[in-house]
Amino acid sequence: MTYLPRVVEHSALTPAELTALRALFDREYRSVHGEWDPEQPYGYAPASTHAIVFDAGGSAVAHVGFQRREITVGHAQVAVAGTGGVLVDDRLRGQGLGELAMSLARGAMRAAPDLEYGYLGCREDVVPFYERTGWHRIHVVERSTARALPPETMGRAETGVEAVVEAGSPVLISPIRQGVDPWPPGVVDLRGRPW
């Protein structure tokens, strides 16, 4: 099968590309999380850059998104590519499409001269995938703004206030280029919603 990789800024996505992404995400998550909203994907921070793999028919079969953001780690400011929306069509998993999408995303991150690290949080069961693609687990306490939830599911405690996630949830980083300063010590403040 022929696959077509593409890196595109969010603002440059065509209507057909948005439709293809919506179909990919809705196949995976619609029954649990509702329709995919590119401006607020399941309450997480949206991607500003998308690495997408399309099949020959124009369907999106793999995706990695990221957003540039300055975060605080201890007393240091770190420019990261907050990474999320990592997904491969469940019918095509195990064929290297996730690795291809991640390679595209990391290439786009390296092309941005001011980014220092890729940064992501994930479930424990997918840590091995990220480690295979060049990410390294760190153990940190992370502070972020709570995910924005749909109004019908939001309770008083879920209104976007600051929340602290204790050490233990998987957090991984990936240096964008050689010579980047070592990851600083201290609490991580994402200064916004997670990706």
Side-chain angles (χ1 to χ4, degrees):
M1 166 120 2
T2 302
Y3 295 105
L4 309 168
R6 176 160 155 73
V7 174
V8 61
E9 294 301 310
H10 185 75
S11 61
L13 286 168
T14 68
E17 290 168 335
L18 275 171
T19 298
L21 282 175
R22 182 170 282 109
L24 174 66
F25 280 95
D26 282 351
R27 276 192 305 274
E28 182 76 15
Y29 298 119
R30 185 177 182 150
S31 65
V32 176
H33 299 292
E35 288 186 13
W36 179 73
D37 177 353
E39 305 307 320
Q40 186 173 287
Y42 310 115
Y44 291 101
S48 57
T49 304
H50 301 270
I52 311 167
V53 179
F54 295 96
D55 67 15
S59 294
V61 295
H63 174 268
V64 175
F66 67 89
Q67 177 194 81
R68 187 211 178 280
R69 187 185 299 164
E70 290 274 333
I71 65 172
T72 304
V73 184
H75 297 291
Q77 303 299 309
V78 181
V80 300
T83 304
V86 180
L87 181 60
V88 175
D89 187 314
D90 68 346
R91 301 167 294 186
L92 299 170
R93 291 182 183 152
Q95 298 183 30
L97 296 173
E99 289 88 350
L100 175 57
M102 187 59 73
S103 177
L104 288 170
R106 290 187 68 205
M109 291 173 194
R110 282 191 293 275
D114 60 337
L115 289 174
E116 299 171 73
Y117 283 91
Y119 184 97
L120 64 84
C122 66
R123 299 182 322 268
E124 191 68 50
D125 61 314
V126 294
V127 168
F129 164 78
Y130 291 114
E131 290 176 335
R132 279 194 319 273
T133 60
W135 295 77
H136 309 281
R137 189 170 187 164
I138 58 174
H139 298 279
V140 296
V141 173
E142 179 185 89
R143 182 181 307 130
S144 65
T145 303
R147 289 188 316 140
L149 299 173
E152 64 273 11
T153 63
M154 199 178 308
R156 289 182 168 249
E158 302 165 330
T159 57
V161 296
E162 293 293 306
V164 174
V165 178
E166 293 300 323
S169 296
V171 173
L172 292 94
I173 59 171
S174 178
I176 300 298
R177 59 189 48 81
Q178 290 186 351
V180 70
D181 290 336
W183 188 260
V187 172
V188 173
D189 186 346
L190 296 183
R191 298 167 62 183
R193 287 182 282 153
W195 300 275

